[in-house]
Amino acid sequence: IHNLNSSGVNFVESRVPSSSKTQFEWKQYYSSEYQFKKTTTYLSPLKLVSAHQFGSRHTVMALNKHADYLPVYQNLLNQGFDITHYISYLKPEEAITIYPEWFELDSQNTQFHLLQGIPQFDLIHEINQKYDFALMLYNDEFEGIFCMYNQMKYATGSRIFAYIAAGIPIIISSCTESLADIIREFQIGIVVNSKERKNLLQVIQQYDYQQMLYNMSKAQKHYSLENNIGRLRDFLKERI
């Protein structure tokens, strides 16, 4: 268990190892008071949002090509989308020395907005109120980097659960197999490959946005802290 607090709990769950299944998955359960419903439809231009941590360019971006979001975002901006990215834990004065190209994009493109991270509850509420889709898109050209391929295929990142709590549909790369399975199971977003990502507006128009919002309620209940508190209690009893 990691980061138990008033809003929810991060929970690392072990699975029985197999040749094709995740051995560990990271889930984040939010209290229902931290979950929001979205009922409005979207307007043009579509407002997309991403909120995740930036690491060192030398330790993350240079080694993990899939983590290089910049060309992905540039392509989406060329398609006419409005994108907001929350820097998360880095202060602007720190981030600008590591990612000057992001700040350059922010200064040159009026439809790209780079914002300082805010507390989790405020972030979830703001995502619900201001944006149409959450982004989990990656530059999924792995170039034979086996460890990166497996990381994307089997990892279960906690960011997806913050987006579920915010109640907005999620657009996610198909290479994130474990995460994409969640989107497919609850039908709360759109799973795209690299080709579809480059024609994203046409792909979005094939989906029923209101239905995805409706489906989000089931996903929120499934991943709510209240619905999983029994598992957490049993886990603690076994180890205390």
Side-chain angles (χ1 to χ4, degrees):
I1 301 173
H2 172 71
N3 193 28
L4 178 62
N5 54 52
S6 60
S7 65
V9 58
N10 291 338
F11 189 78
V12 180
E13 177 180 358
S14 64
R15 288 183 174 181
V16 177
S18 72
S19 59
S20 60
K21 296 294 184 181
T22 309
Q23 294 187 38
F24 297 95
E25 60 179 24
W26 181 291
K27 292 181 178 178
Q28 190 168 47
Y29 302 118
Y30 285 90
S31 170
S32 58
E33 64 180 304
Y34 282 74
Q35 295 178 339
F36 298 93
K37 310 299 180 187
K38 189 174 183 68
T39 57
T40 58
T41 188
Y42 58 78
L43 301 173
S44 182
L46 284 175
K47 296 186 181 298
L48 313 180
V49 63
S50 179
H52 65 86
Q53 295 181 350
F54 276 158
S56 164
R57 184 170 186 85
H58 295 293
T59 59
V60 178
M61 306 290 268
L63 296 176
N64 306 342
K65 187 175 180 181
H66 74 265
D68 194 353
Y69 303 93
L70 190 60
V72 175
Y73 284 15
Q74 287 173 325
N75 178 265
L76 294 177
L77 291 168
N78 291 339
Q79 294 181 53
F81 292 104
D82 185 284
I83 303 175
T84 298
H85 186 99
Y86 290 85
I87 301 175
S88 191
Y89 71 93
L90 286 181
K91 296 179 180 179
E93 59 269 24
E94 180 183 3
I96 196 170
T97 63
I98 303 174
Y99 298 103
E101 64 272 40
W102 285 93
F103 287 84
E104 182 179 356
L105 180 63
D106 177 66
S107 65
Q108 294 179 350
N109 195 310
T110 58
Q111 291 190 197
F112 180 73
H113 321 282
L114 199 59
L115 301 182
Q116 173 68 50
I118 57 179
Q120 190 78 344
F121 177 82
D122 296 332
L123 176 65
I124 291 171
H125 183 259
E126 191 161 300
I127 289 175
N128 171 269
Q129 294 293 306
K130 293 185 177 181
Y131 306 106
D132 303 310
F133 287 93
L135 290 179
M136 296 190 73
L137 294 177
Y138 300 90
N139 187 3
D140 49 1
E141 299 169 0
F142 297 104
E143 294 187 340
I145 306 177
F146 182 75
C147 61
M148 294 304 104
Y149 172 79
N150 282 322
Q151 179 182 334
M152 296 301 295
K153 185 175 182 180
Y154 298 122
T156 306
S158 60
R159 183 162 38 115
I160 190 173
F161 303 108
Y163 295 152
I164 291 173
I168 69 170
I170 301 160
I171 301 173
I172 190 167
S173 292
S174 58
C175 61
T176 62
E177 292 190 14
S178 294
L179 298 176
D181 284 345
I182 294 174
I183 303 302
R184 294 189 182 101
E185 177 183 357
F186 293 98
Q187 299 182 46
I188 52 174
I190 304 171
V191 180
V192 296
N193 57 37
S194 57
K195 182 178 179 181
E196 292 168 325
R197 188 187 73 215
K198 295 172 183 176
N199 297 282
L200 188 56
L201 184 58
Q202 291 86 339
V203 174
I204 290 174
Q205 291 170 346
Q206 299 173 23
Y207 286 79
D208 186 334
Y209 187 76
Q210 292 300 323
Q211 184 63 51
M212 288 188 285
L213 294 181
Y214 178 81
N215 296 341
M216 191 64 74
S217 295
K218 184 177 180 181
Q220 288 180 332
K221 181 178 180 180
H222 181 82
Y223 290 112
S224 69
L225 181 59
E226 291 84 351
N227 193 51
N228 291 277
I229 196 68
R231 297 174 60 235
L232 175 59
R233 183 180 59 247
D234 294 342
F235 176 86
L236 291 173
K237 282 182 177 179
E238 290 176 4
R239 289 157 177 82
I240 295 178

